[in-house]
């Protein structure tokens, strides 16, 4: 049985999408296990840029099926729009190739309105959510009030449940937030329509995954966001509302740990973050512009879902070690190595120091309160060469090789692959 898991080790946007795309070439199924359309995966194939928020990017390969597991919160409108966009690009999206878990929860315009309203009242404590209704949908799930994809299979029952949900949302909007109510009828009409369109895709994905694994198929579990945004292990409360970490695979797909073959962490050669929250190695000014890019290229550091410029900084080895522990990483894929070309020197944070001068190699009480620490850096010499046409390890400049080895040493996990550009082919295998 072969299950590979790919998880982002930072705050998202590590370039997982294209690594997933690459690994999908050897996979029969790619399954998403957490989050919703807050995620954004940019994939570049033959000069075409795909932006996917929900559907696993592996579906671009004709032999790969995409599964949306029970751990997701799904906005049916976003899903259908994405399905249509893929069809327009001549990618087949049929019930044979795309499967939606009956137990995945649903996002409604009510959840989106609540996300905005709750965020607006947080004042200085704003999380900077993607306004996609993610938090409120997971809140309804945990408080046992959620709508599930299963509900779409019986239209009369679905309509009643949806109306009750929207009425409750409207009460909350007017009583707690003094906000105008949502018009219920058009939403119900829309959602009944999506129910009709999506019904044939709704199945027991956990059971199908088990059958596939038993039959020796290759399955890739694709995490959305990055593990530092995990609801349990992230920089709470500046997190998303799902289990992003590799452990989320089992509850989010309905399978056990037995088939796991590899847990691959995607790590950018520097660090980025969208939204609020601590970021010890953040840089500003010229260096930030240098790392972020100017936004004229799709792979520059601007949010795929919201278009916001990402905060950027140096690679944080303390957080990388933390990611190794929580996810049980077996391998790393180091992305965007090419972006560091031309820098005279490159910093990596190897420890934190508190106000009393005490240094820590791991944060003493998790990662919520990182603002109290100053990063302790080690400096690696840079390289001037452009890496974008390098395909062999031997052809990487010595200092770039040394940087990769330094990341392995600091993170305590081997790097299997480094990416040197946005195209599928722009990767270098790293020898053990
Ligand atoms: P939410 O998931 O929309 O509730 O947003 C919670 C936090 O997670 C915010 O800081 C978002 O910017 C961040 N976030 C959510 N999804 C992504 C992602 O795919 N990449 C990077 N950050 C994300």
């Amino acid at each position: 049985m072969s299950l590979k898991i790919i998880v982002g080790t930072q705050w998202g946007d590590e370039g997982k999408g294209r690594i997933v795309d690459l690994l999908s070439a050897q996979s029969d199924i790619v399954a998403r296990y957490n989050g919703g359309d807050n995620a954004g995966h940019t994939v570049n194939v033959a000069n075409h840029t795909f932006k996917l928020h929900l559907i696993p990017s592996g579906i671009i390969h004709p032999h790969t099926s995409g599964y949306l597991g029970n751990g997701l919160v799904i906005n049916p409108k976003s899903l259908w729009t994405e399905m249509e966009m893929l069809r327009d690009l001549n990618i087949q999206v049929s019930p044979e190739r795309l499967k939606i878990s009956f137990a995945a929860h649903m996002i409604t315009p009510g959840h989106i309105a609540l996300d905005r309203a709750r965020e607006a009242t947080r004042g200085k404590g704003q999380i900077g959510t993607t306004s996609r209704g993610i938090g409120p949908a997971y809140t309804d799930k945990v408080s046992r009030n959620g709508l599930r994809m299963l509900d779409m299979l019986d239209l009369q029952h679905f309509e009643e449940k949806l109306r009750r949900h929207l009425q409750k949302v409207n009460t909350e909007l007017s009583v707690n937030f003094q906000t105008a109510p949502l018009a219920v009828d058009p939403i119900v009409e829309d959602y009944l329509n999506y129910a009709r369109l999506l019904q044939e895709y709704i199945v027991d994905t956990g059971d199908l995954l088990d059958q596939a694994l038993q039959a020796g198929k290759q399955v890739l579990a694709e995490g959305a966001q990055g593990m530092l945004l995990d609801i349990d292990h992230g920089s709470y409360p500046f997190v998303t509302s799902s289990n992003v970490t590799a452990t989320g695979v089992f509850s989010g797909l309905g399978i056990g740990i037995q088939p796991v073959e590899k847990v691959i962490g995607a790590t950018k050669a520097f660090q980025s973050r969208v939204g609020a929250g601590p970021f010890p190695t953040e840089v500003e000014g010229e260096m930030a512009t240098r790392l972020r890019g100017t936004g004229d290229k799709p792979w520059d550091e601007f949010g795929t879902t919201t278009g916001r410029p990402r905060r950027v900084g140096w690679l944080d080895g303390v957080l990388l070690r933390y990611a190794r522990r929580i996810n049980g990483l077996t391998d790393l894929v180091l992305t965007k190595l090419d972006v560091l070309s031309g820098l005279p020197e490159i910093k990596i944070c190897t420890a934190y120091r508190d106000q009393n001068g005490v240094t820590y190699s791991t944060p003493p009480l998790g990662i919520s309160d990182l603002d109290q620490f100053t990063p302790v850096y080690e400096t690696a010499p840079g390289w001037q060469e452009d890496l974008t046409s390098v395909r062999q390890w031997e052809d990487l400049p010595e200092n770039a090789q040394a940087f990769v080895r330094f990341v392995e040493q600091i993170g305590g996990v081997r790097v299997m692959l480094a990416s040197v550009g946005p195209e599928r082919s722009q990767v270098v295998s790293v020898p053990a």
Side-chain angles (χ1 to χ4, degrees):
M1 290 201 279
S2 169
L3 174 69
K4 292 194 184 78
I5 300 171
I6 180 136
V7 62
T9 67
Q10 300 167 329
W11 283 290
D13 312 309
E14 299 89 353
K16 287 182 300 292
R18 57 181 297 261
I19 299 302
V20 168
D21 176 50
L22 201 78
L23 295 175
S24 303
Q26 306 135 32
S27 305
D28 300 293
I29 297 170
V30 183
R32 274 266 314 260
Y33 60 86
N34 77 299
D37 60 340
N38 50 347
H41 286 172
T42 307
V43 187
N44 298 284
V45 183
N47 293 331
H48 195 100
T49 301
F50 293 78
K51 285 197 184 213
L52 294 174
H53 299 283
L54 269 170
I55 299 181
S57 49
I59 202 154
I60 292 164
H61 295 275
H63 65 278
T64 308
S65 301
Y67 285 25
L68 301 176
N70 61 279
L72 269 73
V73 285
I74 296 175
N75 180 327
K77 183 177 179 186
S78 307
L79 177 59
W80 187 255
T81 307
E82 219 161 271
M83 289 162 75
E84 293 284 79
M85 181 207 61
L86 288 169
R87 286 187 186 121
D88 287 347
L89 294 164
N90 289 325
I91 294 166
Q92 197 207 346
V93 186
S94 59
E96 287 70 45
R97 296 201 65 219
L98 179 70
K99 300 192 188 287
I100 305 168
S101 167
F102 73 91
H105 278 246
M106 198 183 303
I107 297 181
T108 71
H111 293 128
I112 296 171
L114 287 176
D115 196 359
R116 295 209 169 105
R118 287 177 191 166
E119 186 71 344
T121 57
R122 283 191 185 112
K124 277 196 177 146
Q126 275 196 1
I127 293 163
T129 73
T130 58
S131 308
R132 299 292 168 117
I134 306 293
Y138 277 115
T139 304
D140 272 355
K141 170 179 174 172
V142 175
S143 64
R144 295 159 291 184
N145 287 313
L147 290 145
R148 300 197 296 169
M149 296 308 285
L150 173 75
D151 294 320
M152 284 188 157
L153 298 180
D154 176 341
L155 292 183
Q156 194 188 336
H157 149 89
F158 180 46
E159 176 169 352
E160 286 163 13
K161 210 167 166 184
L162 183 60
R163 281 187 186 279
R164 271 202 307 277
H165 155 76
L166 292 168
Q167 274 147 13
K168 267 170 85 176
V169 169
N170 277 345
T171 307
E172 185 172 348
L173 287 174
S174 64
V175 174
N176 294 357
F177 302 106
Q178 293 75 51
T179 305
L182 300 169
V184 171
D185 287 342
I187 298 174
V188 171
E189 197 183 316
D190 245 22
Y191 269 56
L192 286 174
N193 194 33
Y194 290 123
R196 288 184 198 99
L197 294 169
L198 294 173
Q199 274 176 346
E200 55 182 338
Y201 295 83
I202 298 169
V203 291
D204 185 345
T205 46
D207 188 39
L208 293 176
L209 279 171
D210 183 53
Q211 288 178 33
L213 286 162
Q214 300 278 356
K217 304 268 186 212
Q218 303 280 323
V219 178
L220 184 65
E222 173 186 353
Q225 289 88 42
M227 74 127 316
L228 303 177
L229 290 172
D230 182 275
I231 184 77
D232 284 292
H233 303 291
S235 46
Y236 192 90
F238 299 102
V239 291
T240 190
S241 299
S242 65
N243 280 120
V244 178
T245 49
T247 46
V249 168
F250 311 108
S251 56
L253 290 181
I255 50 173
I257 63 167
Q258 195 195 9
V260 177
E261 189 192 316
K262 270 179 191 291
V263 184
I264 303 166
T267 295
K268 201 147 51 182
F270 50 100
Q271 200 97 8
S272 72
R273 179 165 202 167
V274 208
F279 187 168
T281 61
E282 184 168 13
V283 295
E284 280 166 9
E286 242 175 70
M287 185 52 76
T289 312
R290 173 68 184 69
L291 293 174
R292 183 184 299 121
T294 46
D296 54 336
K297 297 186 283 311
W299 52 91
D300 282 349
E301 297 293 340
F302 289 78
T304 318
T305 303
T306 58
R308 291 178 285 182
R310 295 179 190 141
R311 299 157 67 195
V312 289
W314 298 113
L315 184 64
D316 189 327
V318 176
L319 296 181
L320 182 56
R321 281 196 289 272
Y322 179 73
R324 184 205 58 75
R325 165 168 76 86
I326 306 273
N327 294 287
L329 298 178
T330 59
D331 299 82
L332 279 184
V333 171
L334 188 63
T335 62
K336 289 205 162 187
L337 193 59
D338 55 300
V339 173
L340 301 183
S341 284
L343 293 175
E345 54 179 36
I346 300 158
K347 289 185 180 179
I348 299 190
C349 165
T350 54
Y352 291 156
R353 184 172 292 128
D354 71 11
Q355 289 99 327
N356 302 318
V358 181
T359 55
Y360 299 87
S361 60
T362 52
L365 288 176
I367 63 164
S368 289
D369 209 9
L370 297 182
D371 281 338
Q372 59 176 314
F373 299 112
T374 317
V376 177
Y377 288 112
E378 286 191 33
T379 303
W383 58 90
Q384 299 309 307
E385 296 88 335
D386 174 18
L387 304 187
T388 52
S389 53
V390 175
R391 299 291 177 271
Q392 303 292 332
W393 172 253
E394 300 74 43
D395 298 333
L396 278 179
E398 225 171 84
N399 285 351
Q401 290 183 354
F403 177 77
V404 174
R405 295 303 184 205
F406 192 34
V407 172
E408 288 184 325
Q409 184 201 324
I410 297 302
V413 55
R414 75 164 289 236
V415 174
M416 60 181 270
L417 205 68
S419 83
V420 290
E423 276 295 325
R424 246 185 206 171
S425 62
Q426 289 178 296
V427 286
V428 176
S429 281
V430 178

